[in-house]
Amino acid sequence: MNERPSARVAVKSDIDHRLLIPFLTHVTLTQALILIIRITTSYRAIELDLPVVWLGIIATGFAIVPAFTALPVGRWIDRGNDAKAIWVGSALVFVACIGFWAWPQSAMHLLAYSVLLGFGHMFCMAGHQMLAVRSGGARSRENVLGYYMVAASIGQGFGPFVVGWLGGTAAVPPTGHLFGIGLVAAAASVLVAVLIRPDRRTARQHDPGDFVPIGQLLKLHGFAAVMVSSVVTVTALDLLVIYLPALGAERQIDSSNIGLLLTVRSVASLVSRVFYARAIYAIGRMPLTLTSMLASAAGFLVLAIPLSLPAMYGVLVALGFAMGIASTLTISGVVHLAPAEATGTALTLRMTGNRVGQIVFPALAGVVAAATGVAGILLALGFGLAASGIAMAMRQPPTTS
């Protein structure tokens, strides 16, 4: 198991800034362009008058291939190929963006390019998470993980902003222009990816028998609890985005306020991630895990109660802040527990679980919503976050100094 600094002792920085700057730039570019393309794809499907079921099919296409390919990619990254994963992913995303820009002519076109986009995004995500480990070193890893999540938040906020800014008051924004912007951003990400170089000192060539088995990873003390918490946290964030508009319709809240509520949540998550490293050193991993997960759970449970609009804004601020910390802890927890030679595999195992959750849980949520309304989903997510947070905190191993 990797040695980790004490959660309560400030540490001297050992950050590799020559790697960190292009890495974080690439994270922001990738997150922004992926959201631009995915949102625009939905609008393009509307332009093509496709049945609403195609939106789900296209979204599943984006997630389903990584669910089956992430683990082999993680094994490959553990051989010292984190930078190469960024190169491959950026190239695949660029090719997908060419297709979206040049031939967005049918449902099958959109599905095919979405599958390719998701495949490339999976390479980039796996590489990004491993680069966060490499660029931080052992002493400053928590700091870099915080920077990584902040960069991702900036990209995730900037992408929808571009779509809204270009669309203006139109019901459907100009999809051709947006696909063009996505293509330019993808080209820029390829150029930035070239600046991310492999670390030849730590590149490892393993025989297949040298790899840590998946079963052994799952048996590590606390690892399974971290995996479950990761799936619950990521799924809860996705379902909040999907069902908050439906909650607004039930409570007669206009769409502009729903958009602002989601923006407030995103900004609060970004702010919390800025202070993530300071919080984990000041409070400790287990107390911070328990606090952030229980606060996230409380946010969902309170949101299920009929509230005034100002109260909802307050709840979304608190919920965004707590989930920004909680989601970062699920990555940090995997890195904290996994052996150094299997970090890439462990991170992609987490990604696999998240992708499966993103495929399965929205369908289950639809059944719950039909029976109980959106409040039933919020209550289920709240109790799930509380249970997984308690399990994750209780299963944390002692911190080494």
Side-chain angles (χ1 to χ4, degrees):
M1 185 179 297
N2 294 333
E3 290 189 5
R4 301 289 180 241
S6 170
R8 295 182 179 274
V9 178
V11 294
K12 183 179 179 181
S13 173
D14 58 349
I15 295 174
D16 182 355
H17 289 91
R18 293 181 63 184
L19 176 62
L20 182 72
I21 293 172
F23 155 54
L24 294 182
T25 302
H26 195 269
V27 170
T28 302
L29 274 171
T30 301
Q31 293 290 346
L33 78 89
I34 290 293
L35 278 176
I36 289 171
I37 295 297
R38 294 195 72 191
I39 295 170
T40 306
T41 300
S42 295
Y43 281 120
R44 182 58 181 164
I46 293 171
E47 286 183 334
L48 294 173
D49 292 324
L50 298 179
V52 69
V53 67
W54 270 103
L55 294 177
I57 293 172
I58 291 169
T60 300
F62 179 85
I64 199 166
V65 173
F68 296 100
T69 58
L71 279 174
V73 171
R75 296 292 199 196
W76 180 63
I77 287 175
D78 278 331
R79 298 188 183 105
N81 294 312
D82 49 8
K84 292 180 181 178
I86 303 296
W87 302 346
V88 172
S90 299
L92 291 172
V93 168
F94 180 62
V95 173
C97 289
I98 292 175
F100 279 116
W101 174 70
W103 303 287
Q105 299 167 354
S106 70
M108 293 308 298
H109 283 91
L110 297 180
L111 176 60
Y113 304 143
S114 291
V115 170
L116 184 59
L117 187 74
F119 192 42
H121 183 239
M122 180 267 297
F123 273 95
C124 289
M125 287 286 290
H128 288 161
Q129 293 175 13
M130 196 64 185
L131 286 173
V133 176
R134 175 155 71 94
S135 60
R139 295 193 302 274
S140 300
R141 190 156 295 155
E142 301 294 352
N143 299 70
V144 175
L145 285 170
Y147 299 153
Y148 163 55
M149 296 300 284
V150 168
S153 294
I154 293 171
Q156 290 165 0
F158 188 69
F161 171 79
V162 170
V163 175
W165 171 73
L166 195 61
T169 58
V172 176
T175 57
H177 291 165
L178 286 169
F179 280 137
I181 291 172
L183 178 59
V184 171
S189 76
V190 171
L191 295 177
V192 174
V194 174
L195 301 177
I196 299 173
R197 309 307 302 172
D199 186 356
R200 300 185 185 279
R201 295 171 301 172
T202 59
R204 299 176 295 276
Q205 297 296 329
H206 291 301
D207 292 327
D210 293 334
F211 288 126
V212 177
I214 300 301
Q216 184 176 331
L217 281 175
L218 292 173
K219 291 178 182 177
L220 291 173
H221 184 79
F223 191 88
V226 172
M227 286 289 297
V228 172
S229 292
S230 176
V231 173
V232 173
T233 303
V234 170
T235 302
L237 286 170
D238 274 2
L239 292 178
L240 181 65
V241 173
I242 293 171
Y243 283 101
L244 194 62
L247 184 70
E250 288 182 1
R251 300 181 181 178
Q252 299 182 337
I253 301 172
D254 60 73
S255 59
S256 62
N257 272 302
I258 292 299
L260 284 173
L261 285 166
L262 289 172
T263 301
V264 163
R265 185 213 60 83
S266 298
V267 172
S269 290
L270 189 155
V271 171
S272 71
R273 287 164 176 172
V274 170
F275 296 101
Y276 162 75
R278 295 180 185 178
I280 196 170
Y281 289 129
I283 300 173
R285 183 179 300 277
M286 188 180 74
L288 187 62
T289 297
L290 191 59
T291 301
S292 62
M293 294 293 285
L294 290 180
S296 300
F300 277 97
L301 294 174
V302 173
L303 200 59
I305 303 170
L307 301 171
S308 66
L309 187 58
M312 287 185 68
Y313 275 101
V315 171
L316 265 294
V317 168
L319 180 61
F321 195 91
M323 294 207 76
I325 294 288
S327 58
T328 307
L329 278 165
T330 62
I331 297 179
S332 174
V334 169
V335 175
H336 179 70
L337 295 171
E341 67 274 14
T343 304
T345 301
L347 287 169
T348 50
L349 180 61
R350 171 187 176 273
M351 187 184 303
T352 299
N354 291 344
R355 288 293 188 266
V356 171
Q358 288 172 312
I359 294 169
V360 173
F361 285 106
L364 295 177
V367 175
V368 173
T372 66
V374 177
I377 295 175
L378 297 174
L379 290 172
L381 290 173
F383 287 121
L385 283 165
S388 62
I390 292 170
M392 183 176 168
M394 289 179 64
R395 297 292 294 174
Q396 289 283 333
T399 310
T400 59
S401 53

